[in-house]
Amino acid sequence: MTRTLYTNGRIFTAAEGGPAWAEAIVVDGDTLAYVGDAETAHETAGDSAERVDLGGGLVVPGFVDAHTHLVMMGDALGRVGLTDARSVASIQERLRAARAAAPDAPRLLGRGWLFDSVPDGKPTAAMIDAAVADVPVYLDANDYHSCWVNTAALAELGITRDTPDPIGGRIGRDADGEPNGMLYETAAQQHVWSFLAAATTDADRDAAVERTIAAYLAAGVTAVVDMAFDELGLAAFERAAARRGGTLPLTVIGHWFIENTGDDEQNLAQVARAAELAARAGNPTLRVGGIKLVLDGVIDACTAALRLPYADGSNAEPIWPLERAKPVVAAADAAGLQIALHAIGDAASDLALDAIEHAVAVNGERPRRHRIEHLEYAAPETPARMARLGVTASMQPVHTDPAIWDNWAAMLGDERADRGCAWPEYTEAGVRLAFSTDAPTAPYEALPNMFIAATRRSALDDSFPPNHPEFAVPLDEAIVHATRDAAASCLEEHRRGSLAAGLAADFAVVDRDPFALGEDSLLEARVLRTVVAGRTEFEA
């Protein structure tokens, strides 16, 4: 077994109940043999150990991105980026340039546009047609809950005035009832995503997976939780493992996406498939751990389910009514699956907790650790209710970046906007808080995510004032939420997430110390080395 001694670094352990800081690490094979003072580390390592000088860098546990979308992220890395295109003219300019750069492409794909970059937040097909009309254009919104398309794309999808709205979604229409180029929620999923999935080859998905793996390793991320795993995504990661002799260079845990078909029998069949996959043994780096239900949409598009209406008087129905969610959540709970429930509006988080309470009543007391994803606006009493049920709060600092926040606040239009992503409310109530990125709806890089968590300032544009800085968390706590707590959110805390003897040797080495230099240094910091299961998988 290979033994390696890492010295000359400042090591933040994130260990619960143990010393927060250490001087050296000893790794035996894939496991941490010792984390502590340098003298004992040298004695533990022995004279024959390989020695690595960390050059004074900061060492942190490998980041666990506890909510991401892996194939989609890799795909997004190859699309036209539109987040910083803050006007229709800028968006059109980028689309024209992308079309000129790839004149033979059968369609044009983009991502990341913001509603407040478009007049009145109402994109139309004609706006895209003015830039690119000769091929279909598909532009996913920054939150990946809406898709903006041109006239050629509507024709390619076969969407007409007679196409019905799907359950939990809506086809945007003009005053005459004609499709206007916007597809919301399940309309985007069922029309655009399913069409593009069918048009995407395994080779395309393999390339996306490789881009994602490389990007995460370079960011110091050693484990990820995919929150929309499906057959195609699972197969792509199985192929990635096979290319490497059977294992992946980072740990991948999938939550099987459950679509609300409106039919309990079909919905439960999806749960049974997830349970079948979760029971598989063999690959320690790739497993299905649970299911994922998207209960509502997003506040930016006014599709999140709220107790009270939006500023414009509208509201949204949940994608999963409680009577449809209850049997699915109860069945998954009975099967021992972890349940992740997307809930952005307060009515949706109410629904999520009602469904979990129902599962507890049906299945009785048993070990369980379910999750609610996002919780962007929740009622003040929600954290206490989550604490009683042992439900984890899975939240994303990057979603609070002030540069993308104005439209979110405007859609609520009242005092509710002052309590967006109120992280301390959860920890003060005794709720486990796990930080992640939800890539590609936001940047995947871990260090800027920690900057936003610790400051509530923008990592994209420093001209914006902080976004409710009273909800920021100290840097050490932010890193714990993104490592140890994120590992616990996917039942992995006994394997990884902190630096202590007996755990996986997963860690990242950063070129500067924000604890000494201040949080601003996180925006310039680089990961120098990422070690996963004792192997250096990335080195700058």
Side-chain angles (χ1 to χ4, degrees), residues 23 46 51 116 162 180 231 251 294 307 331:
E23 296 175 330
R51 281 162 166 73
D116 56 4
D162 298 320
N180 67 3
E231 301 286 356
T251 299
V294 176
R307 291 181 180 181

Side-chain angles (χ1 to χ4, degrees), residues 177-307:
E178 295 293 337
N180 67 3
M182 276 303 297
L183 301 168
Y184 298 92
E185 299 298 337
T186 59
Q189 296 169 17
Q190 295 182 20
H191 289 290
V192 177
W193 292 4
S194 62
F195 173 81
L196 292 179
T200 301
T201 66
D202 282 348
D204 294 329
R205 280 182 281 272
D206 290 347
V209 164
E210 294 301 330
R211 284 194 291 267
T212 295
I213 290 173
Y216 267 135
L217 291 174
V221 175
T222 58
V224 291
V225 183
D226 189 294
M227 277 294 165
F229 232 33
D230 59 12
E231 301 286 356
L232 292 172
L234 175 60
F237 274 91
E238 288 175 335
R239 289 194 299 272
R243 289 193 294 274
R244 294 168 168 85
T247 61
L248 295 167
L250 76 175
T251 299
V252 175
I253 300 165
H255 275 248
W256 205 249
F257 183 76
I258 308 296
E259 177 190 357
N260 179 19
T261 65
D263 179 272
D264 288 343
E265 185 175 347
Q266 293 183 43
N267 293 346
L268 291 173
Q270 297 176 71
V271 176
R273 174 60 174 158
E276 174 191 346
L277 293 169
R280 286 183 181 176
N283 191 336
T285 62
L286 177 63
R287 67 178 176 87
V288 172
I291 65 165
K292 161 79 174 300
L293 276 67
V294 176
L295 299 184
D296 70 341
V298 292
I299 287 170
D300 283 282
C302 298
T303 54
L306 299 173
R307 291 181 180 181

Side-chain angles (χ1 to χ4, degrees), residues 166-521:
I167 295 172
R170 178 168 63 88
I171 297 170
R173 302 176 195 274
D174 63 21
D176 297 324
E178 295 293 337
N180 67 3
M182 276 303 297
L183 301 168
Y184 298 92
E185 299 298 337
T186 59
Q189 296 169 17
Q190 295 182 20
H191 289 290
V192 177
W193 292 4
S194 62
F195 173 81
L196 292 179
T200 301
T201 66
D202 282 348
D204 294 329
R205 280 182 281 272
D206 290 347
V209 164
E210 294 301 330
R211 284 194 291 267
T212 295
I213 290 173
Y216 267 135
L217 291 174
V221 175
T222 58
V224 291
V225 183
D226 189 294
M227 277 294 165
F229 232 33
D230 59 12
E231 301 286 356
L232 292 172
L234 175 60
F237 274 91
E238 288 175 335
R239 289 194 299 272
R243 289 193 294 274
R244 294 168 168 85
T247 61
L248 295 167
L250 76 175
T251 299
V252 175
I253 300 165
H255 275 248
W256 205 249
F257 183 76
I258 308 296
E259 177 190 357
N260 179 19
T261 65
D263 179 272
D264 288 343
E265 185 175 347
Q266 293 183 43
N267 293 346
L268 291 173
Q270 297 176 71
V271 176
R273 174 60 174 158
E276 174 191 346
L277 293 169
R280 286 183 181 176
N283 191 336
T285 62
L286 177 63
R287 67 178 176 87
V288 172
I291 65 165
K292 161 79 174 300
L293 276 67
V294 176
L295 299 184
D296 70 341
V298 292
I299 287 170
D300 283 282
C302 298
T303 54
L306 299 173
R307 291 181 180 181
L308 299 175
Y310 289 90
D312 65 2
S314 69
N315 207 337
E317 292 296 319
I319 295 171
W320 281 86
L322 184 58
E323 64 270 19
R324 294 283 79 77
K326 275 183 174 181
V328 166
V329 171
D333 180 74
L337 295 170
Q338 190 182 28
I339 300 160
L341 300 166
H342 165 119
I344 282 183
D346 53 355
S349 55
D350 291 344
L351 191 157
L353 293 172
D354 288 346
I356 292 171
E357 285 184 339
H358 171 73
V360 172
V362 170
N363 298 325
E365 293 300 327
R366 58 185 301 166
R368 53 170 62 85
R369 193 185 298 167
H370 302 316
R371 313 164 38 136
I372 298 182
E373 310 302 312
H374 310 308
L375 289 158
E376 290 185 8
Y377 177 73
E381 67 273 15
T382 297
R385 193 177 172 200
M386 291 175 64
R388 288 194 299 272
L389 290 165
V391 175
T392 296
S394 169
M395 304 179 78
Q396 296 74 38
V398 273
H399 285 178
T400 70
D401 191 305
I404 62 171
W405 191 258
D406 285 351
N407 183 72
W408 190 99
M411 295 304 98
L412 294 177
D414 54 26
E415 65 276 3
R416 291 175 294 182
D418 295 333
R419 285 191 52 262
C421 300
W423 307 318
E425 293 185 6
Y426 295 90
T427 54
E428 289 166 6
V431 175
R432 178 181 284 108
L433 174 62
F435 279 160
S436 58
T437 69
D438 194 20
T441 74
Y444 64 87
E445 294 91 347
L447 298 178
N449 198 27
M450 295 299 92
F451 168 80
I452 299 170
T455 66
R456 299 282 290 217
R457 289 163 51 203
S458 177
L460 300 172
D461 184 342
D462 63 7
S463 69
F464 286 86
N467 177 0
H468 293 283
E470 68 273 18
F471 295 141
V473 299
L475 179 58
D476 58 343
E477 294 181 19
I479 293 176
V480 167
H481 293 323
T483 56
R484 188 181 79 212
D485 289 336
S489 78
C490 53
L491 310 178
E492 287 280 307
E493 72 272 28
H494 301 301
R495 299 183 181 91
R496 57 185 45 83
S498 57
L499 300 179
L503 297 183
D506 291 2
F507 57 89
V509 184
V510 183
D511 70 344
R512 64 200 70 191
D513 183 357
F515 292 99
L517 300 174
E519 291 90 351
D520 283 20
S521 66

Side-chain angles (χ1 to χ4, degrees), residues 4-8 25 27 50-63 214-222 447 499 505-512 525-532 534-540:
T4 306
L5 171 64
Y6 293 86
T7 59
N8 190 24
I25 291 173
V27 174
E50 179 184 351
R51 281 162 166 73
V52 176
D53 187 321
L54 295 168
L58 174 71
V59 178
V60 296
F63 289 98
Y216 267 135
L217 291 174
V221 175
T222 58
L447 298 178
L499 300 179
D506 291 2
F507 57 89
V509 184
V510 183
D511 70 344
R512 64 200 70 191
R526 293 188 308 126
V527 172
L528 298 177
R529 180 191 295 261
T530 302
V531 176
V532 187
R535 301 183 306 274
T536 295
E537 296 288 1
F538 168 80
E539 191 167 9

